[in-house]
């Protein structure tokens, strides 16, 4: 009798577990369907620099390049900037943010005799309450004179010929235009991690919502941000976001909240030359800003981890469970969720010219990003705040 009772109890438990897994699998599939149709088409890659009529008068433009120990990459980026053809008045201001590798001298040498003049500014260490990059941008803006437009572009971003003309033309009546630079995908880890980095950014900040004037969603991509002086001033200038670790998103929000019209999309004329030869540098790139992105909130961290598990781990787990238990419903629903997630990742893989089969590895990639996010929180718990090239920033 006891044996029969135990067997019945075990059978009931198996049934309960199967029902729970089936319900969770249905929820995961429903979540993917919702993301596909109601999240601003975040998975699409068609938000490219908008075509427009060139302006009748080309506004004065200042290109501000914050640089900290960037001597190794300047040969691939500075010449591309100072040899841009721009019909109006343009200049390049490189802000040497406390470099120790000769960044300033390398920049001057590379820009010698170029069509666009280059000025090097060395503002010194940032005051308390400022991040290094934003202090550098502030110094660049002050050194730019009466420029009507500012292009904030990182020292590792290479601009193709015609980039400045295209950016200013696309601006039109917009106050801020930002392009997500195409990141490098040459090593195995870069191929695995980088497309997903942009994919997850678009999931957080759907470009179509960012570009909609009435929508609350706002963001920018810090590697390439063109902004009007008047709009920047209306938003409070760089000092308004001086302590932001995720400075590009903060700047986009500030401009949009001040009534500015902003645009964000994928870049065809700008790409990053910064190499990420192994998992370590990529891990640090993500974990540096992951917990700040969650506003240092443990509940948000827990919700993020659970959300990643529901979306990315439940479907493949359901497929395995369905095969083991011969549950057709679990197998089919789990497979549908997994395939749908892979299908939504495919456009980004195509944008980065990566093989389509990588899409089925999205659950593995998402698990990796979840670990990076948890690690980011653990680093903060241990008192290790966000850091960049030897400089650590306090929690804001």
């Amino acid at each position: 009798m006891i044996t029969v009772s135990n067997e019945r109890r075990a059978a009931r438990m198996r049934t309960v577990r199967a029902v729970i897994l089936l319900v969770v699998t249905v929820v995961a599939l429903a979540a993917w369907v919702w993301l596909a149709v109601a999240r601003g088409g975040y998975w699409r890659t068609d938000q490219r620099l908008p075509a427009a009529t060139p302006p009748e008068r080309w506004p004065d433009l200042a290109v501000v390049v914050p640089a900290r120990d960037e001597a190794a990459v300047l040969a691939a980026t500075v010449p591309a900037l100072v040899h841009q053809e721009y019909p109006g008045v343009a200049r390049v201001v490189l802000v040497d943010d406390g470099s120790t590798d000769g960044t300033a001298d390398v920049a001057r040498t590379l820009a010698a005799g170029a069509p666009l003049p280059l000025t090097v500014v060395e503002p010194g260490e940032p005051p308390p309450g400022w991040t290094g990059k934003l202090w550098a941008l502030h110094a660049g803006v002050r050194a730019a004179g009466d420029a009507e437009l500012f292009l904030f572009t990182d020292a590792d971003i290479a601009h193709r010929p015609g980039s400045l003309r295209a950016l200013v033309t696309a601006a039109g009546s917009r106050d801020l235009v930002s392009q997500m630079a195409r990141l490098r995908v040459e090593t195995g880890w870069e191929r695995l991690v980088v497309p997903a980095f942009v994919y997850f950014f678009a999931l957080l900040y759907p470009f179509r919502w960012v570009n909609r004037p009435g929508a609350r969603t706002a963001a920018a991509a810090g590697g390439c941000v063109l902004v009007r002086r008047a709009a920047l001033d209306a938003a409070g200038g760089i000092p308004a976001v001086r302590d932001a670790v995720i400075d590009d998103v903060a700047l986009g929000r500030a401009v949009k909240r001040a009534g500015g019209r902003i645009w964000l999309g994928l870049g065809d004329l700008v790409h990053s030359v910064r190499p990420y030869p192994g998992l370590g540098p990529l891990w640090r790139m993500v974990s540096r800003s992951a917990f700040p992105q969650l506003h240092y909130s443990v509940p948000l961290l827990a919700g993020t981890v659970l959300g990643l598990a529901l979306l990315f781990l439940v479907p493949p787990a359901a497929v395995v469970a369905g095969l083991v238990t011969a549950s057709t419903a679990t197998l089919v629903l789990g497979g549908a969720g997994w395939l749908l997630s892979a299908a939504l990742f495919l456009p980004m893989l195509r944008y980065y010219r990566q093989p389509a089969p990588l899409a089925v590895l999205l659950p593995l990639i998402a698990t990796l990003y979840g670990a990076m996010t948890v690690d980011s929180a653990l680093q903060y718990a241990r008192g290790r705040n966000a850091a960049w090239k030897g400089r650590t920033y306090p929690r804001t």
Side-chain angles (χ1 to χ4, degrees):
M1 293 291 293
I2 296 176
T3 301
V4 172
S5 177
N6 288 340
E7 290 178 351
R8 288 176 177 173
R9 187 179 296 109
R12 284 198 297 270
M13 290 301 299
R14 287 194 296 271
T15 301
V16 169
R17 286 195 295 267
V19 170
I20 291 175
L21 178 59
L22 183 60
V23 170
V24 174
T25 303
V26 170
V27 172
L29 176 58
W32 276 113
V33 171
W34 180 83
L35 289 174
V37 301
R39 188 63 187 167
Y42 78 93
W43 47 272
R44 302 179 65 172
T45 57
D46 58 348
Q47 293 298 288
R48 307 297 178 89
L49 206 60
T53 303
E56 295 182 2
R57 185 188 69 82
W58 291 87
D60 293 355
L61 170 67
V63 182
V64 180
V65 184
R68 179 174 173 84
D69 291 334
E70 298 285 14
V73 300
L74 294 183
T77 60
V78 167
L81 275 176
V82 295
H83 286 89
Q84 289 279 325
E85 293 184 0
Y86 184 71
V89 176
R91 59 183 299 199
V92 179
V93 179
L94 185 137
V95 186
D96 184 2
D97 181 20
S99 299
T100 59
D101 64 350
T103 287
D105 292 335
V106 171
R108 291 189 186 99
T109 300
L110 292 169
L116 300 188
L118 179 137
T119 302
V120 175
V121 178
E122 300 181 59
E125 285 297 300
W130 284 79
T131 67
K133 179 178 178 180
L134 289 167
W135 175 243
L137 291 179
H138 183 55
V141 167
R142 288 187 299 176
D146 297 327
E148 301 166 75
L149 291 175
F150 298 110
L151 172 60
F152 301 144
T153 185
D154 290 346
D156 67 316
I157 300 299
H159 288 252
R160 298 188 184 279
S163 175
L164 299 191
R165 294 174 62 112
L167 280 164
V168 174
T169 298
S173 61
R174 300 175 181 88
D175 297 294
L176 182 149
V177 172
S178 181
Q179 293 186 93
M180 177 72 72
R182 195 186 294 263
L183 304 178
R184 209 184 83 140
V185 283
E186 296 182 11
T187 69
W189 283 113
E190 287 172 343
R191 293 188 180 98
L192 190 68
V193 174
V194 165
F197 177 80
V198 182
Y199 175 82
F200 289 136
F201 184 89
L203 176 59
L204 287 173
Y205 307 103
F207 294 170
R208 289 170 177 266
W209 288 359
V210 171
N211 301 341
R212 190 182 305 162
R216 295 179 59 185
T217 305
C224 179
V225 180
L226 181 75
V227 60
R228 296 188 186 279
R229 175 189 287 273
L232 185 63
D233 289 344
I238 299 298
V241 295
R242 61 184 177 275
D243 59 351
V245 174
I246 309 175
D247 50 86
D248 45 7
V249 173
L251 180 60
R253 285 174 176 166
V255 171
K256 196 168 190 178
R257 286 173 180 171
R261 185 182 175 195
I262 70 175
W263 183 92
L264 170 64
L266 296 173
D268 295 316
L269 296 174
V270 290
H271 65 279
S272 173
V273 300
R274 188 178 304 283
Y276 294 96
L279 178 59
L282 287 164
W283 189 288
R284 288 189 291 273
M285 176 188 74
V286 175
S287 65
R288 180 170 63 93
S289 60
F291 198 43
Q293 181 71 62
L294 298 175
H295 307 289
Y296 309 98
S297 168
V298 173
L300 281 179
L301 173 67
T304 298
V305 172
L306 289 174
L308 288 173
L310 174 67
L311 287 170
F312 298 99
L313 298 186
V314 167
V319 169
V320 173
L323 290 172
V324 170
T325 63
S327 171
T328 302
T330 303
L331 173 63
V332 170
L333 292 171
W338 194 355
L339 288 175
L340 180 54
S341 69
L344 296 181
F345 189 38
L346 271 176
M348 191 61 69
L349 287 175
R350 292 196 191 100
Y351 172 73
Y352 273 99
R353 303 182 183 92
Q354 297 305 301
L358 278 178
V360 299
L361 297 181
L362 189 56
L364 173 63
I365 299 169
T367 301
L368 193 62
Y369 271 86
M372 294 173 182
T373 303
V374 171
D375 179 62
S376 178
L378 291 175
Q379 295 300 323
Y380 273 86
R382 294 167 183 160
R384 301 173 187 171
N385 294 346
W388 174 247
K389 294 194 175 182
R391 183 182 282 144
T392 302
Y393 302 114
R395 182 180 301 187
T396 58

